[in-house]
């Protein structure tokens, strides 16, 4: 997942480290810099964790090269020291389809964390760079969304409305989330609210049948608001924890689709509106999510097909751009191929994970 982005970010980490190493070397007292240049490697060994293995870096040789420790003195990093490396990072992020506002925020975060004085006794240059990249990325990725925690702390049934463009994996996502919630011990009912697309009712019925989840359905062409109203009624009378409402991804016109979603909102009063799109769509997914959030409103996002997405741009930018959390990512076609989006894990994987 996001292998291309991971590779590029790890290269950016190396590049920033080299820039800081050069800055550190230029600030060494006379003679020491030359000595360091002649003898790369751990040149100053007053690390508190001396003797332990070096922190993992995916790029071989890098740790050895830049483990120039900032000894018990200040390292002063100027804007100029990191300007080139930050421009490269900016290009890398844009090429990876990270949206411009998110790219700007990441660059600003890294700059803020690196430029200035550092008095981190015994900290390696690489640790400084890693910390700066991590916190900048975490700020942009937001907090994620703990769906299980949300359900546990809200009145049941919790009603979740799924919307999104046809073909992105919305129906499969409804089924996957049903399976995920069942696995967490919740009871679930699905409302077959896509009455527009031929075969949609049957499709969700097949998924639900395999997963042992009850589906409420009417015939093709029926009013989806009525289907979803009935689904909520069923959930209330059977003390079901969660209603998952599928909806159409397309209609005669966009205005009709919006009107229909408005009506569904009025009738079933969803607790959460989840926008589903595919990670592989990159910036297009971010733009669509943004527009959807402006017109209908969304509480969280699911990005499918992350397993097919090397660039990772949509996953990195969507929460920052629309101001709503990324809740899950789809990672394949099986029902279990869905994982809660946990920013800290993703950042670790991107910056430190192997191939
Ligand atoms: P909908 O029209 O948006 O409801 O889309 P579907 O749920 O019918 O999914 C469209 C296709 O995408 C199907 O072949 C799914 O198996 C596939 N799909 C859904 N989610 C994922 C995912 O996370 N990874 C991959 N590789 N395929 C997915």
């Amino acid at each position: 997942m996001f292998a291309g982005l991971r590779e590029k970010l790890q290269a950016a980490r190396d590049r920033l480290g080299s820039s800081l190493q050069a800055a550190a070397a230029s600030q060494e007292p006379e003679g020491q810099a030359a000595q360091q240049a002649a003898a790369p490697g751990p040149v100053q060994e007053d690390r508190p964790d001396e003797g332990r293995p070096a922190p993992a870096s995916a790029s071989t040789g890098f740790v050895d090269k830049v483990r120039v420790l900032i000894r018990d003195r200040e390292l002063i990093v100027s804007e100029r020291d990191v300007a080139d490396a930050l421009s490269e990072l900016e290009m890398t992020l844009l090429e990876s389809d990270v949206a411009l506002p998110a790219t700007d925020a990441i660059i600003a975060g890294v700059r803020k964390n690196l430029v200035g004085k550092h008095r981190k006794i015994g900290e390696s240059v690489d640790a400084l760079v890693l910390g700066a990249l991590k916190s900048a990325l975490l700020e942009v990725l937001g907090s994620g969304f703990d769906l299980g925690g949300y359900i546990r702390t809200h009145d049941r049934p919790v009603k979740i409305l799924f919307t999104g463009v046809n073909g992105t994996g919305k129906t499969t996502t409804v089924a996957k989330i049903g399976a995920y919630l069942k696995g967490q011990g919740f009871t679930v009912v699905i409302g077959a609210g896509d009455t527009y697309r031929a075969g949609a009712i049957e499709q969700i019925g097949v998924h639900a049948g395999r997963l042992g989840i009850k589906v409420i359905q009417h015939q093709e062409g029926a009013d989806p608001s009525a289907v979803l109203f009935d689904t909520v009624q069923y959930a209330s009378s059977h003390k079901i924890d969660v209603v998952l409402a599928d909806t159409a991804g397309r209609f005669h016109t966009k205005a009709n689709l919006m009107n229909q979603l408005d009506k569904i909102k009025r009738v079933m009063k969803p607790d959460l509106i989840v926008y589903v799109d595919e990670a592989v769509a990159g910036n297009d997914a971010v733009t669509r999510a943004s527009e959807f959030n402006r017109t209908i409103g969304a509480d969280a996002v699911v990005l499918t097909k992350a397993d097919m997405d090397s660039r990772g741009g949509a996953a990195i930018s969507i929460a920052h751009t629309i101001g709503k959390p990324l809740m899950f990512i789809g990672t394949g076609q099986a029902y279990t191929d869905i994982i809660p989006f946990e920013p800290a894990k993703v950042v670790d994987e991107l910056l430190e994970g192997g191939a």
Side-chain angles (χ1 to χ4, degrees):
M1 202 169 60
F2 313 145
L5 179 63
R6 185 173 57 212
E7 207 172 287
K8 287 179 175 180
L9 281 175
Q10 292 181 3
R13 172 182 166 186
D14 288 6
R15 176 76 172 85
L16 277 163
S18 304
S19 306
L20 257 64
Q21 184 195 16
S26 72
Q27 288 166 35
E28 282 297 321
E30 278 289 297
Q32 278 196 32
Q35 198 186 333
Q36 277 178 24
V43 288
Q44 295 163 357
E45 292 295 352
D46 55 350
R47 279 165 70 94
D49 62 348
E50 188 182 357
R52 283 196 227 144
S57 167
S59 44
T60 47
F62 170 67
V63 170
D64 279 350
K65 258 188 283 150
V66 301
R67 203 175 336 125
V68 178
L69 303 177
I70 307 158
R71 219 160 35 165
D72 47 352
R73 64 178 178 78
E74 283 180 340
L75 167 69
I76 301 167
V77 179
S78 73
E79 181 77 40
R80 201 156 44 92
D81 293 328
V82 288
D84 288 349
L86 285 181
S87 298
E88 282 171 31
L89 175 60
E90 186 180 21
M91 284 312 298
T92 286
L93 293 170
L94 292 172
E95 279 165 16
S96 302
D97 252 358
V98 177
L100 187 59
T103 297
D104 288 347
I106 293 167
I107 298 297
V110 177
R111 180 183 287 117
K112 184 186 81 191
N113 290 326
L114 285 183
V115 172
K117 293 180 180 179
H118 295 275
R119 194 177 244 292
K120 307 209 169 173
I121 298 170
E123 187 177 22
S124 72
V125 165
D126 183 45
L128 199 62
V129 168
L130 186 59
L133 281 168
K134 267 191 184 177
S135 72
L137 282 168
L138 281 173
E139 202 144 309
V140 165
L141 286 179
S143 56
F145 190 104
D146 172 13
L147 183 58
Y150 180 93
I151 294 167
R152 275 186 282 278
T153 52
H154 285 76
D155 289 344
R156 322 275 176 93
V158 167
K159 296 159 283 175
I160 309 176
L161 180 67
F162 290 85
T163 64
V165 186
N166 272 351
T168 55
K170 178 171 45 62
T171 306
T172 312
T173 297
V174 171
K176 285 176 175 181
I177 291 181
Y180 171 84
L181 292 175
K182 264 190 87 176
Q184 294 220 331
F186 297 112
T187 49
V188 178
V189 60
I190 291 176
D194 182 355
T195 56
Y196 181 69
R197 179 167 63 93
I201 297 171
E202 194 191 351
Q203 188 190 347
I204 194 75
V206 168
H207 286 314
R210 288 187 193 136
L211 294 166
I213 295 174
K214 169 85 180 167
V215 183
I216 303 298
Q217 62 184 68
H218 293 185
Q219 69 278 47
E220 205 176 301
D223 181 351
S225 303
V227 179
L228 299 178
F229 182 82
D230 284 356
T231 312
V232 174
Q233 291 291 102
Y234 179 90
S236 300
S237 59
H238 290 78
K239 302 211 172 330
I240 304 279
D241 297 323
V242 191
V243 169
L244 302 177
D246 193 17
T247 62
R250 186 167 300 158
F251 216 56
H252 317 284
T253 66
K254 207 164 167 185
N256 276 343
L257 177 63
M258 295 302 164
N259 287 340
Q260 191 188 68
L261 285 170
D262 260 341
K263 183 173 176 194
I264 291 172
K265 268 173 72 177
R266 282 197 308 277
V267 171
M268 81 168 272
K269 300 187 176 57
D271 297 290
L272 293 173
I273 301 180
V274 176
Y275 179 78
V276 181
D277 211 314
E278 51 190 11
V280 278
N283 259 319
D284 287 347
V286 177
T287 308
R288 287 195 292 251
S290 226
E291 190 193 334
F292 184 86
N293 185 42
R294 254 197 325 274
T295 48
I296 296 288
D299 299 294
V301 177
V302 174
L303 282 176
T304 62
K305 306 180 190 175
D307 52 307
M308 293 161 66
D309 179 27
S310 177
R311 291 195 285 187
I316 297 294
S317 354
I318 207 155
H320 180 266
T321 310
I322 75 165
K324 301 295 164 63
L326 178 50
M327 183 160 71
F328 285 101
I329 42 180
T331 57
Q333 296 194 308
Y335 294 127
T336 47
D337 288 335
I338 190 154
I339 46 179
F341 184 76
E342 293 177 56
K345 268 196 193 166
V346 172
V347 169
D348 282 351
E349 170 79 15
L350 284 174
L351 293 173
E352 300 181 272

